[in-house]
């Protein structure tokens, strides 16, 4: 039954119902009208009239139900499933590996003295900018400077003796052994002085690189031990990088130069970066290799040990077709399939099952490697309720 016939039946039934109510209310068949019964004020008559109208109402509702059931039975479109569809298009597909890393810097150093003794003086305070080689602190040399002064006097005497002996030897005066002894004595004094200067230099604590004094750990006047007592922490925030462990399964895809999206949750900051180095060693304990990602830090907000979330691009397809994973079904042979629209006419089409091969997924979508081409119209909502060759009605496209 088409829509026109359905409307005609409903109009006829409504007309019949109106006539029936009119005849009843007008006292058809010798019965009193509703107005007459109300005017009579007879309680028994009022109750009786109400019961009659209630019975008529129930009969009419039952007849309406029978008409609806028949219309539903005769409706040719009642078994056509309603679906939505979308068009498959080639698109750029970038797959990302999501990992977590920690910010590091190779120039974050706690400086310890090379010589033990009393920390005589600290020349810097927290927050100071220092250059490479700048004097940071001084340890009491324990009298080495006085020894050096004495050695210098002896060296000067040895030098004078050597120079005089050399002039005599050049004039063929004196013996060669005297000349060689003076030369040897002078050179030995020079070596001793150089050695003492090296020892004395260990009493000076200098900056190994340019940076900022992050912390003065030991105050002057304290006794320090060589290589053990921390004096100051020196940090350079210019050359920062993120280090993370990557599962070995990605070793062929994650290489130097790959794009990385870096997110710092604490800073609410996102930036684009690249992998600057990949490790050549697989950790046997967790089967991972290390990756370093350089991050610019012009505003100095990124600090060492800051946690970062990483999305590393490990795969790119310039002409990928992506579909929702929720529309994919699997047959008894383990093959994956979806439904596309065939023989489309207006809002109706035929559902056609196609076997597909899928690739890498990202979130709710997955890459289709075969079975679907650019321009195919794919059933989305209702994909799991249709059958191959079944006529469907498109409600959204």
């Amino acid at each position: 039954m088409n829509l026109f016939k359905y409307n005609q039946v409903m109009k006829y039934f409504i007309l019949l119902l109106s006539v029936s109510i009119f005849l009843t209310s007008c006292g058809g068949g010798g019965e009193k009208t509703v107005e007459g019964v109300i005017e009579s004020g007879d309680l028994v008559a009022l109750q009786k009239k109400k019961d009659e109208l209630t019975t008529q109402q129930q009969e009419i509702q039952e007849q309406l139900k029978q008409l609806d059931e028949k219309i539903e039975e005769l409706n040719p479109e009642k078994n056509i499933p309603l679906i939505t569809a979308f068009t498959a298009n080639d698109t750029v597909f970038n797959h990302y590996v999501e990992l977590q890393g920690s910010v590091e810097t190779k120039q974050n150093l706690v400086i310890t003295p090379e010589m033990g003794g009393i920390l005589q003086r600290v020349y810097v305070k927290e927050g100071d900018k220092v250059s490479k080689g700048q004097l940071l602190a001084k340890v009491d040399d324990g009298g080495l400077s006085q020894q050096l002064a004495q050695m210098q006097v002896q060296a000067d005497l040895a030098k004078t003796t050597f120079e005089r002996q050399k002039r005599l030897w050049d004039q063929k005066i004196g013996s060669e052994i005297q000349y060689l002894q003076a030369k040897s004595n002078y050179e030995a004094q020079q070596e001793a002085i150089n050695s003492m200067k090296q020892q004395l230099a260990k009493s000076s604590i200098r900056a190994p690189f340019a940076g900022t004094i992050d912390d003065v750990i030991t105050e002057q006047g304290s006794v320090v031990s060589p290589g053990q007592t921390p004096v100051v922490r020196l940090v350079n925030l210019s050359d920062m990088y993120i280090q993370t462990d990557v599962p070995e399964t990605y070793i062929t895809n994650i290489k130097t130069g790959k794009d990385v999206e870096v997110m710092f949750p604490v800073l609410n900051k996102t930036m684009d970066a690249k992998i600057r180095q990949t490790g050549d060693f697989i950790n046997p304990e967790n089967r991972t290799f290390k990756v370093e990602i350089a991050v610019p830090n012009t505003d100095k907000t990124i600090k060492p040990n800051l946690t970062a979330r990483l999305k590393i691009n490990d795969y790119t397809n310039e002409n990928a077709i992506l579909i929702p994973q929720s529309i994919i079904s699997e047959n008894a042979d383990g093959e994956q399939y979806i439904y596309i629209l065939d023989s489309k006419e207006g809002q109706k089409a035929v559902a056609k099952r196609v076997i597909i091969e899928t690739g890498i997924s990202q979130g709710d979508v997955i890459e289709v490697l075969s079975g679907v081409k650019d321009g195919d119209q794919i059933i989305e909502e209702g994909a799991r309720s249709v059958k191959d060759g079944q006529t469907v009605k498109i409600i959204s496209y």
Side-chain angles (χ1 to χ4, degrees), residues 101-105 236-243 260-264 267 269-277 292-310:
S102 177
V103 177
E104 307 283 348
T105 175
N236 188 331
L237 299 181
S238 299
D239 184 20
M240 307 293 286
Y241 68 94
I242 298 171
Q243 182 170 283
V260 183
E261 182 181 306
V262 181
M263 168 66 178
F264 298 102
L267 303 178
K269 182 177 183 179
T270 302
M271 64 176 60
D272 294 325
K274 290 184 180 294
I275 295 177
R276 77 176 185 184
Q277 182 180 343
E292 288 186 7
I293 300 153
V295 288
N297 192 23
T298 54
D299 55 2
K300 309 300 181 185
T301 57
I302 302 173
K303 310 294 184 183
N305 301 315
L306 191 66
T307 299
R309 294 177 184 171
L310 309 173

Side-chain angles (χ1 to χ4, degrees), residues 81-84 323-331 335-340 351 353 356 364 366 378-388 390 392:
L82 305 179
I83 60 96
T84 64
I323 64 172
Q325 297 190 62
S326 58
I327 70 172
I328 300 176
S329 301
E330 190 172 302
N331 60 22
E335 297 174 318
Q336 294 179 316
Y337 64 88
I338 60 172
Y339 289 96
I340 64 173
R353 179 187 298 175
I356 63 171
D364 297 331
I366 192 168
I378 301 173
I379 297 177
E380 186 171 9
E381 293 185 20
R384 295 185 180 273
S385 61
V386 301
K387 298 179 181 179
D388 190 26
Q390 186 178 19
V392 295

Side-chain angles (χ1 to χ4, degrees), residues 50-257:
K50 179 183 177 183
D51 293 341
E52 290 177 357
L53 293 176
T54 301
T55 302
Q56 291 175 5
Q57 182 184 20
Q58 293 174 349
E59 291 176 352
I60 291 172
Q61 289 178 345
E62 182 62 28
Q63 292 172 1
L64 283 171
K65 180 180 178 182
Q66 293 175 1
L67 284 171
D68 287 340
E69 291 176 351
K70 191 62 178 179
I71 291 171
E72 180 72 16
E73 179 184 344
L74 298 176
N75 186 1
E77 297 187 0
K78 71 167 188 174
N79 293 324
I80 298 180
L82 305 179
I83 60 96
T84 64
F86 67 94
T87 301
N89 294 312
D90 287 344
T91 186
V92 177
F93 176 49
N94 290 310
H95 183 267
Y96 295 91
V97 178
E98 297 188 14
L99 300 168
Q100 184 168 297
S102 177
V103 177
E104 307 283 348
T105 175
K106 297 185 185 298
Q107 295 184 328
N108 176 16
L109 184 63
V110 174
I111 302 175
T112 59
E114 295 183 80
M115 175 184 290
I118 298 174
L119 189 62
Q120 196 173 47
R121 187 171 179 184
V122 178
Y123 296 95
V124 293
K125 61 182 182 298
E126 295 175 1
D128 283 355
K129 308 289 184 182
V130 298
S131 57
K132 183 178 179 179
Q134 182 175 331
L135 183 62
L136 306 179
K138 181 79 172 175
V139 178
D140 182 28
D141 58 26
L144 291 181
S145 55
Q146 288 83 358
Q147 294 181 36
L148 178 61
Q150 294 174 5
M151 293 174 66
Q152 189 65 55
V153 172
Q154 295 174 0
D156 291 342
L157 177 59
K159 181 181 179 182
T160 301
T161 302
F162 167 67
E163 290 175 345
R164 290 178 178 178
Q165 195 65 41
K166 185 177 183 302
R167 286 196 295 271
L168 292 172
W169 177 248
D170 290 341
Q171 298 173 12
K172 304 301 180 181
I173 301 173
S175 64
E176 182 179 8
I177 191 66
Q178 290 176 324
Y179 165 73
L180 293 176
Q181 286 177 344
K183 179 180 180 183
S184 176
N185 186 40
Y186 170 64
E187 291 176 349
Q189 289 293 334
Q190 288 297 114
E191 289 293 331
I193 287 176
N194 291 336
S195 178
M196 181 59 70
K197 285 182 177 179
Q198 291 178 3
Q199 284 294 110
L200 190 58
K202 293 181 179 181
S203 66
S204 298
I205 302 175
R206 298 183 180 275
F209 52 83
T212 303
I213 301 299
D214 186 66
D215 188 14
V216 177
I217 303 172
T218 303
E219 299 296 333
Q220 62 186 36
S222 303
V223 177
V224 296
S225 300
Q228 296 183 2
T229 306
V231 178
V232 296
R233 177 183 291 276
L234 179 62
V235 179
N236 188 331
L237 299 181
S238 299
D239 184 20
M240 307 293 286
Y241 68 94
I242 298 171
Q243 182 170 283
T244 187
D245 294 327
V246 181
E248 64 178 349
T249 52
Y250 297 102
I251 196 168
T252 57
N253 296 330
I254 296 182
K255 300 178 180 179
T256 302

